[in-house]
Amino acid sequence: MNIATVKASTLKAKPDWNDLGFGKYFTDYMFTMEYTEGTGWHDAKIVPYGPVSLDPGAMVLHYAQEVFEGMKAYRAKDGRILIFRPEMNARRMMRSCDRLVMPQLPEEMFVEAVKAIVAAQKDWVPALPGTTLYIRPFMYADDVVIGVHPGKTYKFVIILTPVGSYYAEGINPVKIHVEEEYVRAAIGGTGFCKCGGNYAASIIAQEKVMKEGYSQVLWLDGAERKYVEEVGTMNVMFKIDGEVWTAPLDGSILPGVTRDSCITILKDWGVHVREELIPIDFLMDAGKSGKLEEAFGVGTAAVISPIGLLRYKGDVVTINDFKTGPLAKKLYDFLTGMQYGDLPDKYGWIHEVK
Ligand code: COI
């Protein structure tokens, strides 16, 4: 791919690395590329970070043909810049595009674009423990027409933001409300896609419970509201009686890269992983009887986030005395150890950005 560069006239002051929060600061440059029906992808560029022009009639603004991805770049102690399983994000974006009738961006082009923009912004990859450069690739229909049908022109953009932890709680447990009123997705819908629409539909439930001190909601299935799905910002895992349970990839939950990585690692450690439907009543009963030993969310932004408390229909269960459990801690240490280059890359998941 031929990538042109447009130089910025001035560079930004770097943020306070000790107080990054999440998604608040953006780097000097971004990657952009256009798609035109009949021509394909063209005009790959690294340009100064800034507004993109969008006609008020652009299709994405009306019919939400938009998909995105989330990944991170890590600075190793020896200064190397590492990224984690980018091909998984590329493939997931292709599946999201397929469902939303958007053009495919081939895996090699996606990975090359990510590496090119991260390489151009290496000095924005923070070095403090727990900090990373969050990578947000996204694609949207930008042709101008009112009418529901697939767009003919699209833009693919990658922006970068240096981040600390996603939750204010950091690696400390979060409180989760099990949502009974709203649903996030149903089989046959877009639950398995990373598209903005899924997140737009979820905000109302999150807003409702945040006022009560809960960080997120745990979604139940859209048909029966009986089975546990995911927490919108992360997949979830439960250690019950020595086994780890997580919802299966049945089309309504996001196929998380961290989810997949954790399953591989846990199996390697000899932990029995059950990718099965998890009835919420079974989970709450396990909580009450003490069989629910640990619960944690897994995601790129969230990494491994222990869940200390679940509330469902007025019932509350506290998990592991609201403390980070040993398995969550071990997974966190192992996964981030690999991602930051402190541990050997035994699965071939790490790419160095040069
Ligand atoms: C990610 O984990 O990368 C996501 O996109 C989740 C989002 C809520 C930040």
Side-chain angles (χ1 to χ4, degrees), residues 150-281:
K152 293 186 181 354
T153 65
Y154 293 83
K155 200 172 180 93
F156 173 67
V157 184
I158 307 174
I159 55 174
L160 307 170
T161 163
V163 298
S165 67
Y166 185 73
Y167 294 116
E169 289 88 342
I171 206 282
N172 297 316
V174 292
K175 287 163 76 175
I176 301 281
H177 165 83
V178 182
E179 180 58 34
E180 314 149 46
E181 185 182 1
Y182 301 105
V183 293
R184 172 185 173 273
I187 291 175
T190 57
F192 68 93
C193 303
K194 209 155 173 68
C195 61
N198 288 345
Y199 295 79
S202 74
I203 292 172
I204 190 166
Q206 188 181 314
E207 279 299 288
K208 188 179 70 176
V209 301
M210 271 186 140
K211 296 188 189 99
E212 301 166 344
Y214 287 77
S215 303
Q216 293 288 322
V217 302
L218 175 58
W219 297 103
L220 298 179
D221 73 282
E224 296 183 79
R225 296 186 205 187
K226 189 170 163 194
Y227 301 105
V228 168
E229 299 226 305
E230 62 162 82
V231 174
T233 51
M234 54 193 190
N235 297 113
V236 275
M237 299 193 168
F238 304 97
K239 182 162 176 252
I240 303 172
D241 230 0
E243 297 177 327
V244 171
W245 291 67
T246 194
L249 300 181
D250 59 4
S252 62
I253 68 163
L254 194 79
V257 176
T258 314
R259 176 190 180 281
D260 182 84
S261 309
C262 287
I263 291 173
T264 303
I265 294 166
L266 287 168
K267 285 184 176 168
D268 233 12
W269 287 347
V271 178
H272 190 221
V273 180
R274 299 178 69 149
E275 288 183 71
E276 289 171 36
L277 293 177
I278 311 167
I280 182 62
D281 290 336

Side-chain angles (χ1 to χ4, degrees), residues 170-171 258 262 296-299 302-306 327-329 331-332 335:
I171 206 282
T258 314
C262 287
F296 45 90
V298 300
V303 197
I304 309 290
S305 278
L327 188 62
K329 174 81 173 69
L331 260 180
Y332 179 90
L335 187 68

